[in-house]
Amino acid sequence: MSDSVYNKQAGIPELEKAQIFEASTLYGAATLAAALDAGQFGPAAGVRRILLVSSNAEVPEAAIQLKEMHGYDRIAARFDEVISWNEVIHPNHPAEWAPEETETPVWQRLFRLAWGIGDVPVELAVESIQVNPARALVTIFAESAVHVYADGLMSYGPTRDKLPRPIGARVQRVLHLDLVPGLRPLLLAETGARPELVPDDAFTAVLKEISEDAADTVRSYLPPAEQDLPTAVLLGQYLAALRILTAQEEEDLHVRMLRGAVAAGHRSIVFKPHPTAPASYSSALDEAAQAAGVRLTVVDGPLLAETLYDICRPRLVVGCFSTAMLTASAYYGISIARTGTGLVLDRLTPYQNSNRVPLTIVDFMVPDLDAGTDAQMAAVDDLVPLVRTVGFCMQPKMHRDLREDAEHWLQANIGDRTQHYFRRRRLTSLGLPGGDALRTADRLRANPTVRRVVRAARRRLR
């Protein structure tokens, strides 16, 4: 054990355990901070806590770094050390680098020495365990217990790819925010990991810390007169960067948001680009605001959208399917509206794309911006079976137990209002209501029981 960390002769308590928390966004780091404050990772005594930060942007050097975000220092203060994963694996990209399986013991010894954690047990708290850098981390620390935290709506959808059994068996919990009260996460349910809520009061307290730290910067963007504070916030994403929409289509989407907010009576509006969106901004939104005779403020600093909610107290938040929309509703009581979800649902490929459940939640639950300000949010009781049905169709092998419920829901509900949540070809291949009629041979091939019998027979014949 490194004497520079814990020295028994100096009277410092011996290190009993290390906890490594991996984060790539301030929202995710805030979720971890709230979980720590709520005692969900146990007492700090005898534990070395490391915040391992990474930038997963396509060109990390050109993106806003986590340490540049307002509120970062307050969150980082909860940890004994902050380490940049990008620097550790330089010049490799965090989304791409992972060690060869035979090299993992060497990498673990190297990190234990470099990070001052000796030979003590290690716990990992990671996001997006299916991909790097989280996947690399859990592979290197192959004997460590794993806690997955979900910082957005993706927690309600199924796991993107089935985890190898040795990794899946180590996942203890899925820590998540209560963004849609009453909806239970599907993420990692197939591993037996238990979902656990991060308390609302702990998370809102962390958001308050962040907004206090960012207050001066936010106000520097805003008009000096209190009565001119923005009453609507428009949320940008990075759909063109993900190649879901073209740059022009995404710009048109922003203009639709603005025009919808103007039609709802808002005269002072903020546009908040996504922190990891490419640094490009055309004049289309400015021109639309000028044509409508409204004030538009673009807040493109290193800020969470939630700081705008806390300081400006807007009456409306508009977006496509950003998690920040549901944060506005769940934690600030702000009305929210959507636009563009139908287009993105049509473009999203493959069907099991992890954005499908967040899109489905927002499209089904959140009022359309064009419907007016009196439209109400849909009931969660109606949303739950839809999400479970979409989740089954996305990952039928992981969630065979949902098939019967999915069949019943589709039989009763598939129609013009719900058809765009599914692909006819997908329903057909799964033999579900809403798909095309299958020939007898195709129906037999689609039947999981028949497939198991055929595979068993083939094995016996080998």
Side-chain angles (χ1 to χ4, degrees):
M1 186 182 299
S2 172
D3 289 339
S4 64
V5 181
Y6 282 83
N7 189 325
K8 291 178 68 175
Q9 293 180 347
I12 300 175
E14 184 176 359
L15 183 65
E16 298 175 0
K17 179 170 65 175
Q19 294 174 330
I20 301 173
F21 300 83
E22 176 257 333
S24 62
T25 67
L26 188 64
Y27 195 96
T31 304
L32 286 174
L36 283 171
D37 293 350
Q40 292 177 289
F41 284 96
V47 180
R48 180 164 172 76
R49 288 175 168 167
I50 297 171
L51 179 62
L52 190 66
V53 300
S54 67
S55 174
N56 303 330
E58 189 171 347
V59 184
E61 296 79 6
I64 295 174
Q65 302 300 305
L66 189 55
K67 65 182 179 182
E68 298 170 347
M69 298 286 290
H70 285 288
Y72 164 81
D73 288 341
R74 297 200 183 192
I75 289 175
R78 290 169 166 84
F79 301 88
D80 298 303
E81 186 175 5
V82 179
I83 295 171
S84 168
W85 183 247
N86 292 62
E87 293 178 7
V88 167
I89 65 168
H90 181 79
N92 300 289
H93 192 284
E96 298 171 355
W97 183 83
E100 297 291 337
E101 186 174 350
T102 55
E103 298 175 347
T104 54
V106 176
W107 282 105
Q108 183 178 152
R109 287 197 296 272
L110 173 65
F111 292 151
R112 282 180 175 275
L113 179 63
W115 298 346
I117 54 179
D119 296 324
V120 299
V122 171
E123 287 184 350
L124 303 174
V126 300
E127 56 183 350
S128 303
I129 191 174
Q130 310 94 313
V131 295
N132 295 320
R135 186 64 170 268
L137 200 62
V138 301
T139 302
I140 291 168
F141 290 90
E143 70 286 350
S144 297
V146 179
H147 309 275
V148 172
Y149 72 94
D151 65 351
L153 294 175
M154 283 187 184
S155 65
Y156 296 113
T159 314
R160 184 187 311 178
D161 301 301
K162 187 174 183 179
L163 294 177
R165 191 179 297 275
I167 293 178
R170 290 159 50 201
V171 180
Q172 309 293 304
R173 300 177 292 174
V174 175
L175 293 158
H176 67 102
L177 300 171
D178 202 14
L179 295 169
V180 186
L183 187 60
R184 185 181 176 88
L186 281 175
L187 180 66
L188 296 170
E190 73 282 359
T191 70
R194 71 182 189 278
E196 184 174 320
L197 284 172
V198 176
D200 290 353
D201 56 352
F203 186 62
T204 54
V206 173
L207 292 180
K208 186 67 175 177
E209 284 185 51
I210 293 172
S211 66
E212 288 172 354
D213 187 80
D216 290 343
T217 299
V218 171
R219 292 192 178 100
S220 71
Y221 283 94
L222 302 178
E226 188 73 21
Q227 64 269 23
D228 291 333
L229 285 180
T231 59
V233 174
L234 315 181
L235 299 173
Q237 289 180 251
Y238 51 106
L239 304 177
L242 293 175
R243 298 178 177 84
I244 297 174
L245 299 180
T246 66
Q248 182 61 55
E249 287 172 331
E250 187 159 22
E251 194 70 47
D252 291 344
L253 184 63
H254 298 157
V255 171
R256 285 172 56 192
M257 292 179 187
L258 183 136
R259 289 174 177 163
V262 171
H266 298 274
R267 313 303 297 171
S268 182
I269 297 169
V270 161
F271 174 64
K272 177 69 178 73
H274 193 280
T276 59
S280 61
Y281 172 64
S282 78
S283 61
L285 204 56
D286 282 324
E287 292 170 357
Q290 290 174 11
V294 299
R295 181 196 296 272
L296 174 67
T297 303
V298 178
V299 178
D300 56 0
L303 304 163
L304 284 183
E306 287 73 15
T307 61
L308 296 172
Y309 307 160
D310 188 61
I311 294 168
C312 300
R313 297 292 170 178
R315 298 197 305 269
L316 177 68
V317 171
V318 182
C320 185
F321 66 103
S322 170
T323 292
M325 296 170 65
L326 275 296
T327 309
S329 174
Y331 298 121
Y332 294 90
I334 301 171
S335 296
I336 57 177
R338 60 172 170 84
T339 189
T341 50
L343 173 63
V344 179
L345 273 167
D346 289 341
R347 295 287 181 83
L348 206 59
T349 58
Y351 188 82
Q352 57 270 31
N353 189 302
S354 296
N355 288 309
R356 187 165 301 282
V357 164
L359 266 165
T360 298
I361 290 171
V362 174
D363 184 84
F364 183 84
M365 193 175 189
V366 178
D368 191 319
L369 181 60
D370 296 333
T373 56
D374 294 331
Q376 300 295 310
M377 298 269 284
V380 174
D381 288 347
D382 296 329
L383 174 69
V384 170
L386 169 62
V387 169
R388 289 168 64 84
T389 300
V390 171
F392 170 75
C393 292
M394 289 173 66
Q395 299 292 350
K397 292 182 179 178
M398 289 188 199
H399 297 283
R400 290 187 174 92
D401 58 313
L402 298 181
R403 182 180 181 90
E404 186 176 349
D405 289 344
E407 288 177 342
H408 290 159
W409 188 90
L410 287 166
Q411 190 72 52
N413 295 282
I414 196 68
D416 293 341
R417 172 70 179 90
T418 56
Q419 183 67 54
H420 69 294
Y421 299 123
F422 305 93
R423 293 284 183 270
R424 185 176 296 276
R425 182 180 298 178
R426 192 79 170 181
L427 296 178
T428 300
S429 67
L430 294 172
L432 292 170
D436 295 325
L438 288 172
R439 295 176 302 160
T440 301
D442 292 331
R443 202 159 46 243
L444 288 172
R445 291 191 192 98
N447 188 295
T449 302
V450 172
R451 289 203 301 269
R452 284 197 298 272
V453 170
V454 170
R455 283 197 296 268
R458 284 174 177 168
R459 285 195 293 270
R460 287 196 296 270
L461 292 173
R462 286 173 184 168

